[in-house]
Amino acid sequence: MRRWLKVGAASLGVIFAVWLIIRLLSPELKRSDLLISKVERGMLEVSVSATGKVAPAFEEIINSPINSRILEVYLRGGDSVDVGTPILRLDLQTAENDLNKLLDEERMKKLQLEQLKVNNRNKLSEMEMKLKVSRMELSRKQVELRNERYLDSLGAGTADRVRQSELSYEVSRLQLAEDEQKYINEQELLKADVEIKDLELNIFSKNIAEMRRTLDDARIRSPRKAVLTYVNSEVGAQIVQGSRVAIVSDLSHFKIEGEIADSYGDRIAPGSRVVVKTGKERFDGIVSDVTPLSRNGVISFTVQLDDNANSSLRSGLKTDVYVLHAVKDDVLRIANASFYNGRGEYDMFVVNANRLIKKRVRLGESSFDYVEVVSGLSEGDDVVVSDMSAYRDKMKLSIK
């Protein structure tokens, strides 16, 4: 009995050691710790993944329209502003002096234009007076020619006197025609001179209006009701024309600025439906515009959200963006989770009673919610969609 008891105890010890080694080599997982999805058949809205960032729906950069320096700053970043609220004051003395010079030049040009019009009227009046004299002279010679012809018909005149009167009349007539044509030409010429001067004055006036507008823009004010997200607060700093001095943003409404690999450029276009994920929140929207050029292998696009005023949105928040571009009906699908990195083959664990069996599975397209199963799984299978990279060298696992 003693001998048999020793043999039995040794056997039990060996069995326990083997069982312990198996447990250590094949760890047992809790089913509640696993994310398990059932393979089902249904519709798949195919999407491509992109990255995004929450940005204010409206953001306006205020640039300095002139070279100047900052004299005063009235607000700080984060302050709320209304339409026309002063933000800062620039040194406008030089610009105002330049405007006053332009106004003086404009007045001088107006006086020059009036002077030209008066001179033109005087010149045309003189020409009209000469035309009247020429017409009267022609009428006199016409009477003389008629008299000479009448005397010649009575025998009291001569043919030479008639021809002389005819020649004199013809010369006066041609001279009058020439003067009339000169008068018409002079009218057109003087009219063109006035139009040129008038056009020059209009151009000059437009330059003054532009200068006034620039000067008004240099009085840096908020263009609308928003939040001041940036302001150059360095009093005394030199500002060059076109440099940024302030930014106002609408922080009550947001949009998504997204980026996608240019290899998917044919799958995104204005109007494409989009699902945006931020943490546990999901937002629907549409692509409003797409940049036509690729930079560093990515294409930029903008998403307008259906719920763009949600309280969970924050400027600068990183997001996952899914651009929907096609629909597949009657496909095998499983839940989309962190394991999925694109189309291809995956080693996945399938639930078999209280065990997990590794299988080679081919996956296809994906949507925000589902991944297409191409081969390796059957409808009704339960498959683990948690991150199982820690067990990549295991073929079987136990679960409880």
Side-chain angles (χ1 to χ4, degrees):
M1 288 292 293
R2 248 186 237 109
R3 193 165 54 250
W4 282 109
L5 285 174
K6 290 179 181 179
V7 171
S11 299
L12 289 175
V14 170
I15 293 173
F16 177 77
V18 171
W19 175 81
L20 184 61
I21 292 173
I22 293 174
R23 285 296 302 271
L24 291 175
L25 295 178
S26 300
E28 189 175 60
L29 304 177
K30 292 183 179 180
R31 189 182 184 101
S32 59
D33 294 336
L34 301 175
L35 183 61
I36 298 175
S37 173
K38 185 175 290 293
V39 180
E40 61 181 18
R41 191 171 294 277
M43 181 187 71
L44 182 73
E45 291 183 310
V46 182
S47 65
V48 291
S49 300
T51 59
K53 180 178 69 174
V54 179
F58 161 79
E59 187 174 73
E60 183 170 342
I61 299 174
I62 303 175
N63 298 319
S64 174
I66 60 173
N67 295 321
S68 183
R69 65 189 182 93
I70 299 175
L71 295 182
E72 290 183 88
V73 178
Y74 305 122
L75 301 172
R76 295 180 299 176
D79 289 345
S80 297
V81 293
D82 211 333
V83 179
T85 301
I87 298 175
L88 53 83
R89 183 166 71 92
L90 300 178
D91 184 1
L92 306 180
Q93 187 63 46
T94 302
E96 289 173 346
N97 291 338
D98 291 341
L99 178 60
N100 291 331
K101 289 179 182 178
L102 290 178
L103 291 173
D104 292 338
E105 290 185 35
E106 181 187 35
R107 179 170 176 78
M108 183 177 66
K109 287 183 177 295
K110 287 181 178 179
L111 294 175
Q112 289 175 347
L113 179 59
E114 290 300 323
Q115 185 180 22
L116 177 63
K117 289 180 179 179
V118 171
N119 291 336
N120 290 348
R121 284 197 296 268
N122 291 336
K123 192 171 184 179
L124 291 176
S125 296
E126 291 177 1
M127 294 185 71
E128 287 175 358
M129 188 60 67
K130 289 181 180 180
L131 284 175
K132 288 181 181 179
V133 173
S134 297
R135 291 190 184 102
M136 292 173 65
E137 184 67 20
L138 182 63
S139 298
R140 185 182 65 79
K141 291 185 177 182
Q142 186 178 23
V143 171
E144 289 180 355
L145 176 59
R146 189 166 53 246
N147 291 338
E148 289 296 333
R149 285 175 177 172
Y150 177 71
L151 292 174
D152 185 54
S153 65
L154 296 176
T158 63
D160 291 338
R161 290 178 64 84
V162 173
R163 282 194 298 272
Q164 185 178 1
S165 295
E166 288 176 347
L167 181 60
S168 179
Y169 171 76
E170 188 63 23
V171 170
S172 297
R173 188 183 66 79
L174 292 175
Q175 185 65 45
L176 177 61
E178 182 182 3
D179 291 342
E180 287 177 341
Q181 187 60 47
K182 285 183 178 179
Y183 177 76
I184 294 172
N185 292 342
E186 192 66 23
Q187 275 186 316
E188 295 296 328
L189 182 61
L190 296 179
K191 180 181 178 182
D193 287 342
V194 171
E195 289 179 350
I196 290 173
K197 291 293 184 181
D198 194 40
L199 182 59
E200 289 178 354
L201 180 60
N202 286 336
I203 294 174
F204 199 80
S205 297
K206 289 179 181 177
N207 291 336
I208 290 177
E210 180 68 19
M211 184 66 178
R212 277 200 176 106
R213 187 187 67 80
T214 300
L215 191 61
D216 187 62
D217 290 344
R219 297 177 175 90
I220 307 300
R221 299 184 179 92
S222 173
R224 63 181 64 199
K225 186 175 182 179
V227 175
L228 184 66
T229 53
Y230 167 80
V231 61
N232 188 336
S233 58
E234 297 181 22
V235 176
Q238 293 294 327
I239 302 297
V240 298
Q241 182 179 359
S243 62
R244 182 177 62 180
V245 294
I247 299 177
V248 292
S249 306
D250 179 4
L251 297 183
S252 61
H253 298 82
F254 298 90
K255 63 183 178 181
I256 303 297
E257 294 178 347
E259 290 184 342
I260 191 170
D262 54 9
S263 57
Y264 296 122
D266 58 336
R267 303 190 183 187
I268 184 170
S272 299
R273 290 199 305 114
V274 172
V275 173
V276 178
K277 185 178 180 182
T278 60
K280 295 182 179 181
E281 297 288 338
R282 167 180 171 161
F283 300 91
D284 295 322
I286 61 170
V287 176
S288 60
D289 62 83
V290 181
T291 56
L293 299 178
S294 171
R295 289 186 177 180
N296 299 323
V298 297
I299 295 174
S300 299
F301 60 95
T302 303
V303 177
Q304 299 296 334
L305 300 175
D306 296 340
D307 182 14
N308 62 4
N310 192 287
S311 59
S312 62
L313 294 173
R314 294 289 184 274
S315 181
L317 186 67
K318 299 293 184 180
T319 66
D320 295 321
V321 181
Y322 301 87
V323 182
L324 310 179
H325 67 91
V327 175
K328 286 187 175 182
D329 293 321
D330 195 31
V331 298
L332 289 179
R333 64 188 189 184
I334 58 175
N336 194 349
S338 60
F339 75 94
Y340 183 73
N341 295 314
R343 302 173 63 176
E345 291 187 341
Y346 291 78
D347 290 327
M348 304 189 71
F349 288 95
V350 178
V351 179
N352 184 2
N354 61 343
R355 283 183 160 189
L356 298 178
I357 309 298
K358 183 186 286 186
K359 281 189 176 183
R360 178 57 60 91
V361 179
R362 178 174 290 278
L363 302 179
E365 304 282 3
S366 68
S367 69
F368 174 76
D369 297 306
Y370 299 102
V371 176
E372 177 188 14
V373 177
V374 178
S375 63
L377 296 174
S378 302
E379 185 176 356
D381 286 347
D382 289 325
V383 59
V384 178
V385 294
S386 306
D387 183 7
M388 301 291 286
S389 58
Y391 308 100
R392 62 171 62 93
D393 58 336
K394 305 295 184 183
M395 296 301 297
K396 297 179 181 180
L397 293 171
S398 299
I399 59 173
K400 62 178 180 179

